[in-house]
Amino acid sequence: MSALGGLTVAVPRGALFDDTVDLLTELGVDTGELRTNDRKLLFEDIGVITMRPSDVPTYVEAGAADLGITGKDVLLEQAAQEGGWGSGPGRNVYELLDLGYGRCTMVLAGKAGPDPAAEALRRLGVMRVATKYPRIAARHLEQTGRQAEIVEVKGSVELAPLAGIVEAIVDLTATGTTLRENNLVVREEIVVCTARLIANPVAHKLKAAAIDELQRRVRALPVSGGAR
Amino acid sequence: MIHPIPSGTRDVLPDETREARAITDALRGVFERHGYGEVYTPALEYESVLARAPLAEAQPAYRVFDEAGEVLVLRSDMTVPIARVVASRYATVEPPLRFCYFAHCYRGVAPARGQPRELLQAGIELVGAPAPEGTAEALTVLCRALDATGLKDYRIGVGDASLYPALMASLQVPENAREGLMRALVMRDFVELERRLHESGAAPAAVELLLEVPQRRGGPELLAEGPEQAAEAVTGLRRLHELLEPGVAARVIFDLGLVRNIGYYTGAVFDVYDPALGAPLGGGGRYDDLLGRFGRSLPAVGFALGIDRLHLALAGEERGTGALLAHALGSLGGDGELPGPGVGSSATRGSGA
């Protein structure tokens, strides 16, 4: 049986990739090819498939991977809105463990100096917010009782307030460097996000022993397990 | 010309209908042989009538007004309409009552993820048969029905809806923390469950147990280990297991964390899994309080299968794929955790469904 007990794991490319590969290495997975070949997607011999972090819940929910690792930001964004259409659990996956790494904060930020969002709210009754996380942004502003117009962007969110199309942004920040370089300041912290281990609900039952064993070994690791 | 249909709905054409018909015919045969009479009820019901049931996540999503200004809803399941039928049409008939149905139900899901808003369900309701005998009968009919469709590798997760609330109560979790804990469990978010447990003010040993128990799942041996703080639920599951014939028992995975996000379940609850599909094919459970809300207090149990999902699982098993989950078969047979997939099916078939 392989180091992952025959399980298939969806591994996120991008910011969480290096820490995730380190975790797999500590679990005894031969990650040599995974580290060096960034074009290959399917590493069947070690039970790994790689993809964008935001696709991880999709593949795990469909059962193409038994387990997956992705950021809490992705899970929050893909969770259904409270109430109304599609309320209840969002993605049909189990969230098993907080892996502790990839720590970032979802923040509401705006231009330094007098807050243009406050002025917009006072004079126009609505603030405009650019984000790659429209649901998290909408939920936060709704819960804090502010009317907002959400502008969804795909590229650098920092551009939007500088170009004057919005008064604030909602984005993930690890060190705050990018915000500072663009003369933006954090106005509110919304939620702290770390990497999470998720599981397919059917695999969680049919492969219970293998999943529990892997979870136990991850918890026993000094770095990720202890950081919880 | 292409004319649109509402998102989350679809047309079913002859080839698919033929295959789906073979599935429903097989199910109907088993239901009928076990004495379950087929019923139809209106797709539209008065909202005020269905609102008697605590539906939680399975709330009706489509509402219309009739000419008198009454609010009508498209039913979100068949259990509640059948509870209404029992109370109003069988008010004095001696139980047990056995019904089966093949009906479309309507849910307010997000169809962007391929989930239908209109789904064809097949199921049974056994009214007036208490636990554990009634539950054992429902599980037996469920296995025979799935066997009759030709599905090979399915498993049935069985838990108890009263277990976790009982555990929280006997471990003296402060009442204001319980709803949030239950919510985290329903959301299958163990990270949130752990966080809330640490904040709940419960004793450290209690926190440990409340986090660990819902992750227990496996064969009947785990029922011997308690937890004694939820003895009633565990004893109930053990008595249920004793009543199951070997072919059915071989299919069952006991799952102490199983909760269903429909509010009316009171005792044993179940989910149907197949390694060829990443989501449950259906499920059910006991709803001993629901009939009382309609004025005829009787214990009851039932299950519903999603025909589309069953069809997908059958096709997946046939192709031998089911994405990478097909590996599940290897690990099921290999690590000795559960009986090999062949055992249960042949035994159940041999017992003559």
Side-chain angles (χ1 to χ4, degrees):
Chain A
M1 199 59 79
S2 71
L4 296 174
L7 299 170
T8 302
V9 180
V11 167
R13 295 271 181 193
L16 296 175
F17 186 69
D18 289 344
D19 283 332
T20 301
V21 176
D22 288 348
L23 173 69
L24 291 174
T25 310
E26 285 183 76
L27 291 170
V29 178
D30 177 6
T31 52
E33 196 191 5
L34 186 57
R35 282 180 200 277
T36 50
N37 190 342
D38 61 4
R39 290 186 180 275
K40 194 169 159 179
L41 305 171
L42 209 55
F43 299 83
E44 274 172 317
D45 46 331
I46 56 168
V48 166
I49 50 179
T50 62
M51 61 195 67
R52 288 173 67 125
S54 56
D55 288 341
V56 167
T58 309
Y59 283 79
V60 172
E61 185 180 39
D66 303 310
L67 296 172
I69 292 167
T70 192
K72 182 65 180 174
D73 52 307
V74 169
L75 295 171
L76 282 173
E77 181 59 24
Q78 295 185 13
Q81 300 281 39
E82 298 274 331
W85 284 97
S87 62
R91 288 287 177 177
N92 204 353
V93 296
Y94 277 69
E95 195 173 321
L96 296 180
L97 273 183
D98 183 347
L99 297 170
Y101 59 81
R103 193 181 177 84
C104 296
T105 310
M106 189 67 71
V107 298
L108 181 83
K111 278 207 269 192
D115 187 359
E119 194 196 336
L121 277 175
R122 183 172 57 79
R123 295 184 52 203
L124 307 172
V126 62
M127 60 190 280
R128 296 170 300 172
V129 178
T131 186
K132 291 175 193 166
Y133 302 90
R135 293 177 138 189
I136 294 175
R139 207 176 309 156
H140 174 67
L141 290 159
E142 190 184 306
Q143 281 168 1
T144 49
R146 285 169 288 186
Q147 303 184 88
E149 203 174 286
I150 307 292
V151 179
E152 191 176 351
V153 295
K154 302 282 185 193
S156 300
V157 187
E158 297 79 12
L159 176 61
L162 301 179
I165 68 166
V166 297
E167 287 86 38
I169 63 170
V170 166
D171 204 17
L172 210 50
T173 173
T175 59
T177 313
T178 314
L179 292 178
R180 268 193 305 279
E181 282 174 355
N182 288 293
N183 198 28
L184 299 172
V185 293
V186 173
R187 303 276 180 195
E188 290 156 36
E189 294 194 353
I190 299 173
V191 61
V192 173
C193 298
T194 48
R196 301 292 161 97
L197 180 69
I198 62 172
N200 173 274
V202 175
H204 188 253
K205 307 309 171 197
L206 299 186
K207 302 179 180 181
I211 288 179
D212 287 353
E213 171 62 13
L214 191 73
Q215 212 179 322
R216 191 191 57 72
R217 285 168 62 206
V218 173
R219 272 183 185 268
L221 292 175
V223 193
S224 43
R228 282 181 299 100
Chain B
M1 260 194 83
I2 302 290
H3 304 286
I5 57 174
S7 80
T9 67
R10 60 195 190 84
D11 299 316
V12 183
L13 303 184
D15 282 350
E16 185 189 344
T17 304
R18 211 167 286 122
E19 292 194 13
R21 177 73 70 184
I23 295 170
T24 51
D25 284 350
L27 297 174
R28 188 178 280 111
V30 174
F31 295 166
E32 292 276 353
R33 268 199 298 288
H34 286 82
Y36 289 79
E38 187 171 351
V39 293
Y40 285 86
T41 68
L44 284 165
E45 297 257 1
Y46 286 120
E47 182 179 51
S48 53
V49 174
L50 291 200
R52 288 172 174 267
L55 284 164
E57 308 293 354
Q59 289 291 347
Y62 294 94
R63 291 175 175 75
V64 291
F65 296 99
D66 69 6
E67 70 284 357
E70 294 283 348
V71 182
L72 310 180
V73 296
L74 278 169
R75 62 178 170 224
S76 61
D77 77 353
M78 274 297 282
T79 302
V80 181
I82 287 177
R84 174 187 60 71
V85 167
V86 169
S88 41
R89 306 291 297 275
Y90 291 82
T92 56
V93 181
E94 192 68 18
L97 304 168
R98 293 180 172 82
F99 302 101
C100 73
Y101 59 84
F102 295 81
H104 286 94
C105 299
Y106 302 83
R107 302 266 171 97
V109 296
R113 285 162 31 206
Q115 294 167 309
R117 285 174 169 172
E118 180 186 62
L119 62 159
L120 179 58
Q121 287 193 331
I124 65 160
E125 308 296 346
L126 170 54
V127 177
E133 290 80 7
T135 319
E137 177 179 328
L139 286 173
T140 305
V141 175
L142 175 56
C143 284
R144 297 216 171 127
L146 290 169
D147 289 338
T149 66
L151 194 70
K152 293 188 193 69
D153 301 316
Y154 66 88
R155 286 289 185 281
I156 300 169
V158 176
D160 192 302
S162 70
L163 190 146
Y164 207 71
L167 198 58
M168 289 193 290
S170 66
L171 290 170
Q172 289 163 354
V173 174
E175 289 207 14
N176 57 6
R178 291 183 196 173
E179 194 189 333
L181 293 172
M182 207 60 212
R183 176 107 193 126
L185 193 61
V186 169
M187 300 280 281
R188 304 178 179 86
D189 186 345
F190 286 105
V191 176
E192 176 75 359
L193 184 66
E194 187 169 355
R195 191 187 66 75
R196 283 181 178 270
L197 279 169
H198 284 299
E199 287 178 0
S200 68
V207 168
E208 184 82 3
L209 203 60
L210 284 161
L211 188 62
E212 184 260 328
V213 167
Q215 304 199 50
R216 288 188 198 168
R217 57 222 187 279
E221 65 282 354
L222 70 84
L223 300 178
E225 296 157 16
E228 68 212 27
Q229 292 86 349
E232 202 178 326
V234 176
T235 309
L237 289 174
R238 208 180 298 134
R239 287 179 57 210
L240 171 63
H241 177 252
E242 285 161 7
L243 286 176
L244 297 177
E245 54 186 79
V248 176
R251 297 289 190 175
V252 168
I253 301 171
F254 287 98
D255 179 357
L256 301 194
L258 182 62
V259 282
R260 306 205 74 221
N261 54 9
I262 297 178
Y264 51 66
Y265 290 111
T266 50
V269 283
F270 23 99
D271 261 347
V272 182
Y273 307 110
D274 191 276
L277 199 69
L281 314 180
R286 298 209 62 86
Y287 48 97
D288 292 341
D289 300 336
L290 181 64
L291 271 293
R293 290 167 178 265
F294 287 89
R296 188 162 190 211
S297 186
L298 285 172
V301 62
F303 65 77
L305 294 164
I307 297 300
D308 286 350
R309 287 188 171 183
L310 186 50
H311 196 178
L312 276 171
L314 281 163
E317 282 195 353
E318 203 175 296
R319 284 198 309 269
T321 55
L324 297 179
L325 262 183
H327 297 316
L329 299 187
S331 71
L332 277 178
D335 60 15
E337 178 194 345
L338 289 162
V343 180
S345 54
S346 58
T348 319
R349 278 206 196 95
S351 66

